[in-house]
Amino acid sequence: SMVSGGTGVRIQNAQLALALYPASGKYALNASGAVRLDGVTGVTLSGTLAAVVNTTGGAVAETVATPGGSLQLQFSQSQGNLFRFQGAGVQAQLGSAVQVAGGFSVERLEVGGVTTLKIGAAGVEALMNVDGKGVRLTEGTLGLLVLADGTHALQASGSGSVVGIADVEASGALTLSINNTGQARNETISTGAQNAAGQPINVTLNLAGNVPLSITGTNLDLRIAGNRFTADVRPSRPTSSRKGRGFRRAFGSRSRTA
């Protein structure tokens, strides 16, 4: 697990391969199982993650016998000091309105006695909706910082579109943000993925001290009842009505192309 003070990520019902090296006190392991996020109000994780840990400082190539068959432990020289949870097809739920899916990577950092979790994701699909009406992100990335007290900061960016609203179509780059840590955040988070050139895909969190759950974007291609606009999307806040809660989206139209 990556848990401190009741807050963190656990892997449950895992299949484990572990190599111990008594002479040095070092070890390497790979454990795969169901993921659970503890101690973070309003955020849940589900799916399967693998814990990949290597403390040996070098390459590892071992075959570990288990009741279910042999498992391989393989780490390259560059992976000599690694502590990461990673997996594809993991789902995150933010409150009742936002669902996120993608390939996730989780790292734990301890600086000055303070433990934080950095959760990154690539190939992200996200949906922010109420009663089937909202905004979808595809082909995106996500960065999530979780503090020991359960507060968190998140940014997810990708190609956006509107779903479930009659006579409205929209496309363009959108960013979903939230920060309830009480402090401005500027962090680089690894997604554990690489681009076509083999370079790591990272997410940079750049958030003010208190950011409510919001969506922003620029140069959005917006079509309303057959009319076409170029628009910006500004932050929104939850609203209420007789039909239930909704989201107020602010579109700033800059040009019209008819």
Side-chain angles (χ1 to χ4, degrees), residues 2-4 7 108-111 113-117 146-149:
M2 289 188 185
V3 179
S4 177
T7 300
R108 182 177 64 187
L109 300 177
E110 293 188 15
V111 179
V114 177
T115 301
T116 62
L117 293 180
V146 179
L147 305 188
D149 62 1

Side-chain angles (χ1 to χ4, degrees), residues 17 19 21 27-31 51-56 58-62 72-84 86:
Y21 304 94
Y27 65 94
L29 69 85
N30 190 319
V52 287
V53 182
N54 183 10
T55 68
T56 67
V60 173
E62 302 280 1
Q72 302 299 315
L73 272 179
Q74 299 286 340
F75 294 94
S76 66
Q77 183 67 36
S78 64
Q79 296 174 316
N81 291 285
L82 183 65
F83 196 134
R84 178 181 295 163
Q86 59 190 30

Side-chain angles (χ1 to χ4, degrees), residues 165-181:
I165 303 176
D167 296 324
V168 176
E169 298 179 14
S171 61
L174 291 177
T175 298
L176 173 69
S177 304
I178 185 173
N179 180 14
N180 60 21
T181 67

